[in-house]
């Protein structure tokens, strides 16, 4: 609650607006991933990579890829970045080994800690 209030105040909102906002989005300890994930997503709207990392870690908010999303993601929101093309060109043997070990160098290949 304090972090959300501080964020609202930092962006020019008032304490009353923060209180009203929090009344519509109370913290739910039973579904803490949703509560924290959605608030972090909102708070990081101007820090896209950080917001994406929160989403990957907590699986909230629920995101759907738009029809115009990158084709390489197979209609899904990417869960990782692929290795740079330069890596494939200059270190192909090790790139193949690493890619195979993780299940493929794809935007949809989950990182080892991303179990859900």
């Amino acid at each position: 609650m304090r972090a959300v209030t501080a964020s609202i105040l930092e962006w020019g909102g008032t304490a009353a607006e923060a209180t009203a906002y929090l009344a519509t989005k109370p913290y739910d300890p039973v579904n803490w991933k949703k509560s924290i994930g959605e608030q972090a997503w909102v708070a990081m709207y101007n820090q896209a990579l950080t917001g994406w990392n929160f989403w990957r870690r907590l699986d909230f908010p629920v995101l759907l890829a738009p029809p115009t999303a990158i084709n390489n993601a197979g209609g899904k929101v990417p869960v990782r970045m692929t290795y740079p093309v330069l890596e494939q060109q200059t270190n192909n043997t090790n790139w193949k080994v690493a890619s195979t070990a993780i299940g493929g160098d794809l935007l949809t290949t989950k990182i080892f800690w991303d179990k859900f």
Side-chain angles (χ1 to χ4, degrees):
M1 286 181 24
R2 290 187 305 198
V4 173
T5 299
S7 180
I8 290 171
L9 294 174
E10 181 178 338
W11 287 99
T14 65
E17 289 170 329
T19 301
Y21 176 81
L22 286 167
T24 65
K25 310 235 183 303
Y27 175 72
D28 179 3
V30 174
N31 199 357
W32 63 271
K33 284 184 168 186
K34 181 179 186 300
S35 291
I36 293 171
E38 289 179 351
Q39 291 309 312
W41 181 261
V42 171
M44 299 300 155
Y45 79 95
N46 64 338
Q47 298 177 42
L49 189 59
T50 303
W52 180 60
N53 283 328
F54 266 103
W55 169 77
R56 293 188 313 150
R57 185 170 64 90
L58 297 172
D59 296 317
F60 282 98
V62 174
L63 301 178
L64 300 174
T68 56
I70 186 169
N71 289 335
N72 294 352
K76 298 178 181 176
V77 176
V79 294
R80 66 179 285 273
M81 290 187 215
T82 57
Y83 290 109
V85 173
L86 185 60
E87 192 67 32
Q88 297 172 37
Q89 295 169 343
T90 60
N91 192 11
N92 190 265
T93 301
N94 289 322
W95 170 76
K96 285 180 182 176
V97 171
S99 296
T100 301
I102 64 170
D105 187 17
L106 306 170
L107 294 171
T108 54
T109 304
K110 291 197 172 195
I111 296 174
F112 69 94
W113 51 259
D114 192 359
K115 303 290 183 194
F116 304 103

